[in-house]
Amino acid sequence: MRTFGRLLQQAALVILPLAMLMELTDALGRDVGVSDMVIMLVFGVIAFVLGRTLEGFANRGS
């Protein structure tokens, strides 16, 4: 469980800058509005918090 939580945190920390970089370089091939970027931000924050929570529960049980 600890490994999954840590993996979720790392994925969130990689996905958000990657999404911003893809938007800045027009690699997505379409216009992404502010609402899409806010959805990506919310997804990243939720993924990070969920990963941290899972890691915390795993550490507490040991």
Side-chain angles (χ1 to χ4, degrees):
M1 192 62 93
R2 182 182 323 170
T3 304
F4 180 68
R6 192 166 288 183
L7 181 67
L8 203 55
Q9 289 177 29
Q10 291 172 351
L13 290 176
V14 168
I15 288 173
L16 289 175
L18 184 63
M20 288 186 279
L21 183 64
M22 289 175 68
E23 171 61 24
L24 289 173
T25 61
D26 284 334
L28 297 173
R30 66 181 181 94
D31 284 339
V32 176
V34 172
S35 63
D36 294 329
M37 294 301 285
V38 170
I39 290 170
M40 288 184 228
L41 173 69
V42 169
F43 171 76
V45 168
I46 289 172
F48 186 84
V49 169
L50 183 63
R52 181 63 190 117
T53 303
L54 288 174
E55 185 184 8
F57 280 138
N59 286 338
R60 188 172 62 168
S62 317

